[in-house]
Amino acid sequence: MEQMLGSFQSDLSSISSEIRTLQEQSVAMNLRLRNRRLVRLQLGQLLEELVVPGAMISTILEAPVTEPEFLEQLQELNGKINSVKEQAFRETVACADVQHILEKLKIKAVTKIRDFVLQKIYSFRKPMTNYQIPQNTLLKYRFFYQFLLGNERTVAQELREQYVDTMSKIYLSYFKSYTSRLMKIQYEEVAEKDDLMGVEDTARKGFFSKPSLRSRNTVFTLGNRGGVIGAAELEAPVLVPHAAQRSDTRYPFESLFRSQHYALLDNSCREYLFLCDFFMVAGPSAQELFNAVMGKTLAMFLKHMDTYVSACYDGIAVFLCIHIVLRFRSIMAKRNVPAVERYWDTLLELLWPRFELILELHIQSIQGTDPQRLGCLDTRPHYITRRYAEFSSAIVSINQTFPNEKTNALLGQLQVEVENFVLRVAAEFSSRKEQLIFLINNYDMMLGVLMERAVEESKEVEGFQQLLSARTQEFIEELLSPPFGGMIAFVKEAEALLEKGQLERLRGEEARVTQLARGFSSTWKSSVEALSQDVMRSFSNFKNGTGIIQGALTQLIQYYHRFHKVLAQPPLRSLPARAELINIHHLMVELKKHKPNF
C-alpha cells in the first residue's frame, strides 16, 4: 500500500512537470504565431504589390485595348508601377526582381494605347453626317490618358497635341463649309444703304416695290422674325442647307446667324466638357486648351461677322443677332461652360456699334428729308411715320426681355426726329384744320402700331398719347368754330366779364344774344350732320374718327350749357329769346342720335 501510494505521488509530480512544460511550449508557439502573422501581413502586402501575375502579363501583351479585361489589368499595372516606385524609394531590394518586367509591360501598354488613341483621333476626320464630332467615344477610355500622363508624359503630350491639331482643323473646315452653305440660303434681296427711314419711295431701289418679295419682311417690319429669339426656335435644330436648297427655302440673316451660333454653342459645350474630363484640366488650363482647339474657328467666325456686319443696313436683323447672343450667353452660363465668353463679348462689340450706326443713319435721313420734295401731300398717315412706327415697335418688343438703356436712348432720339418731321410736313398745309388732321392721323397710326406690338407702358406710347390728346382737343375747337364760333366766343367773353364782376356790360348785347339763340336752334342739326360727315371723311381710323365726333358733341353740349348759364344772369334773364332755347336734356337726346355706331 505504501509502495503504491509512493508510486502514485511520483506519477503526479511528473504530470505536473509535463503540464508546466506544455504551458511554456504553448506560450512560445503563440508568440511565434503572432510574429509570423505580423511578418505575413507586411510581407504579404509587399508581395501582392510587387508580384506580377501571369494573367496580367498575358492580358497586357495579347488582349485588345477595347476589352474590359485590358482596362482592368491596366489599372492593376498602374498600381504596381506606383508601388514599385514607392518601395524603390525605401530601398526595398525585392523591387529589382520585378522592375524589368513592369517596364516591359508599361512599354507594351503605352504602345498599344498610343496606337489606339491616334487611330480614334484620325477617325474623326471622316465626313460627319449629323454635324456632331463623336469625340465622346473616347471618354470611356479616359483612364488611358491618365495612365500615359503618370507613366509616359511625352506620349501623353504627343496625343494631346495630335488631338488639338486634328480637332482644330476639323472644326475650322466644318464651320467654314457650313457658314458658306448657310449664306447661300439667305434672301437674295437684303437691305442696302438706300433702305433708310427718311428716303423717298421714288428714290428707293426695289426693296419695297418688287412683287417677288411679298413673302419677305421689309427692313422696318418685324413680322414673324421675332420668333427667332422665342423659346421654340432659339434652341431648335440647326438648319440643313442642302435640304433648304432642295425645297428652295430662304431665310433672313438672323435665322442663319442663330443656326450657325447654335451649332457653335452646342459643339463648344461638348468640346469644353470633353477636354476637362478626358485631359483632366480645369480653370485657366481648360480655357487655354479649348482656345487651342477652337481658336481658329472663332477667329473665322469673327472675320465673317465683321465682313457681313460692315455692309449690313438691316437694323432689325442686327438687333435680333444681339439678343440671340445675349440668350446664348445665358444658356452657356446655365450649363457652367465659360469657354466662349470672350467670343460673345467681341461679337457684341461688333454688333452694337453697327446697330447704333444704322439708327443714326435713319435719324440723319429723317433730318435731311425736305417735305417739299415728297410730292403731293395728303392728310393720311405718311409712309415715313408708318416705317418709324413699325421699326420702333419692333425694337421695343425685342428689347423687353433684355432691357438696354443704350437702345432706349437711341429710340428716344429717333422719336424726336420723327415728331419734328411730322410737324415740318404739317406746316406744308395751308389751313390749320388740315394740319391738325394730318397730325392726328399720324399720331394715331403710330400709337396704334406701338400699342399692338409693344408694351403699353413704353415711353413712346406715353409720348404719342399726350401729343394725340392735345391735337385732338385743338381740332375739336377748330371743328366747332365755323358753325358755333359766335356762340363759343360770346360764352367766353361773358364768363370773363362775370369773373370780373362787370355783368352790366352785357346789357347792350340783347340783339347779339337773340341772333345766336335763334341761329343755334335753326341750324344745329344740319351743322352737326355736316360736322360728322367731315370728320369721318378726314380720318383713316374709323375708331379715332368716332372718338373725335363724340368729343366734339360733348364739347358742344358743354358750351351750350354754359350759354344757358350766361343767359340766366340778371342782365339777360328777362330776354324773350330765352324761351326759344333748346332744353339741354332734349339736346343731349338728339345728339345721341348722331353718335356713330360701330
Side-chain angles (χ1 to χ4, degrees), residues 256-272:
L256 309 182
F257 178 88
R258 180 216 69 89
S259 182
Q260 180 192 33
H261 282 80
Y262 189 62
L264 175 71
L265 178 150
D266 219 26
N267 280 287
S268 294
C269 286
R270 193 181 297 107
E271 186 61 38
Y272 181 80

Side-chain angles (χ1 to χ4, degrees), residues 425-445:
V425 177
E428 295 295 309
F429 293 98
S430 54
S431 73
R432 183 60 184 160
K433 184 179 173 185
E434 282 184 313
Q435 290 176 2
L436 289 169
I437 291 171
F438 177 78
L439 290 172
I440 290 168
N441 271 330
N442 280 276
Y443 292 151
D444 177 63
M445 181 274 296

Side-chain angles (χ1 to χ4, degrees), residues 33 72 105 125 127 146 149 153 171 190 219 280 286 289 317 409 434 444 483 509 528 537 583:
L33 179 63
E72 190 182 316
L105 288 176
R125 296 175 182 177
Q146 188 180 332
L149 206 57
R153 279 186 171 270
Y171 278 124
V190 294
V219 280
M280 296 181 296
L289 187 57
E434 282 184 313
D444 177 63
E509 300 286 347
V528 166
R537 277 195 306 270
N583 181 278

Side-chain angles (χ1 to χ4, degrees), residues 20 122 205 231 269 429-430 498 526 574:
R20 274 197 302 273
Y122 296 150
K205 293 181 183 176
C269 286
F429 293 98
S430 54
L498 179 62
S526 59
S574 56

